[in-house]
Amino acid sequence: MAVKIFVDPGHGGTNPGAVANGVTEAQVNLSVATYLANDLRNLGYDVRMYRTNNDENVISPIAADLRKRAQTANEWGADYFISIHSNSSVNPAANGFETYVYRLGSRSAQLAQSIQDTVVAALGMRDGGVRQANFSVLRNTNMPAVLVELGYVSNPTEALNLNSPAWQQKVASAIADGINKFVTGQQS
Ligand SMILES: [Zn+2]
């Protein structure tokens, strides 16, 4: 049976996420998540996306929406959970690729490190590292779960990349490679 990977494009519905420099986070997250889902399917994984358009499955308030995302992955029996987000800062110079997990030193953190290393090597981004965060989707999922921050919408250079379909495909492929390296390493 194929390994099941749940891909969660952050935000959507009436919640656009971070908006700056002509970038709307919810749209970028969906684009990258769609490329990622396709790449993972091509690698033989069973993939489910939480939403495949702006509004699908998104509910209010946000806290309930986040719980529903984790609950949907739990009920499906996902083996891994990947949430796709884009970052923002009041400092326009802030940049780089970051991953978040509920606990450092966990299998989630090992998966995050594989994603982190693969993306930084493939795209030459600043390595923001694997970080700990008490995010709802990480806390409420019962499988290894990683939240990816693709780059900063508030950084003019990274904003151009985030809006570029070619860059979106490239970062998605690197995330898929990082996941695949970890999963195949676990199985061998
Ligand atoms: Zn976000």
Side-chain angles (χ1 to χ4, degrees), residues 6 48 50 59 63-78 81 136-143:
F6 193 91
R48 179 159 167 184
Y50 185 69
I59 60 169
D65 178 68
L66 294 172
R67 281 196 300 274
K68 187 182 167 193
R69 291 171 195 246
Q71 187 187 354
T72 304
N74 291 344
E75 287 171 357
W76 184 48
F81 180 98
S136 176
V137 292
L138 301 179
R139 185 177 65 249
N140 291 313
T141 39
N142 56 24
M143 71 292 300

Side-chain angles (χ1 to χ4, degrees), residues 47-61:
V47 181
R48 179 159 167 184
M49 288 179 69
Y50 185 69
R51 62 181 178 94
T52 57
N53 58 51
N54 187 64
D55 299 322
E56 183 183 17
N57 289 327
V58 180
I59 60 169
S60 290

Side-chain angles (χ1 to χ4, degrees), residues 14-158:
T14 58
N15 173 11
V19 179
N21 294 311
V23 182
T24 300
E25 188 198 344
Q27 292 173 4
V28 171
N29 297 344
L30 177 61
S31 294
V32 172
T34 303
Y35 288 126
L36 174 61
N38 288 336
D39 286 347
L40 290 171
R41 287 183 180 121
N42 288 337
L43 289 166
Y45 294 103
D46 186 2
V47 181
R48 179 159 167 184
M49 288 179 69
Y50 185 69
R51 62 181 178 94
T52 57
N53 58 51
N54 187 64
D55 299 322
E56 183 183 17
N57 289 327
V58 180
I59 60 169
S60 290
I62 289 171
D65 178 68
L66 294 172
R67 281 196 300 274
K68 187 182 167 193
R69 291 171 195 246
Q71 187 187 354
T72 304
N74 291 344
E75 287 171 357
W76 184 48
D79 294 298
Y80 300 96
F81 180 98
I82 309 291
S83 190
I84 303 293
H85 285 255
S86 307
N87 223 331
S88 187
S89 171
V90 292
N91 174 10
N95 70 93
F97 182 88
E98 300 163 9
T99 45
Y100 288 81
V101 296
Y102 187 60
R103 276 199 186 85
L104 298 176
S106 60
R107 284 185 66 217
S108 299
Q110 293 174 344
L111 170 59
Q113 192 68 59
S114 183
I115 295 169
Q116 189 71 36
D117 292 346
T118 308
V119 169
V120 167
L123 284 93
M125 297 179 73
R126 190 185 71 80
D127 187 353
V130 177
R131 304 176 179 206
Q132 191 279 331
N134 185 22
F135 292 146
S136 176
V137 292
L138 301 179
R139 185 177 65 249
N140 291 313
T141 39
N142 56 24
M143 71 292 300
V146 175
L147 186 144
V148 168
E149 293 281 5
L150 298 168
Y152 283 75
V153 303
S154 46
N155 179 287
T157 304
E158 291 201 338

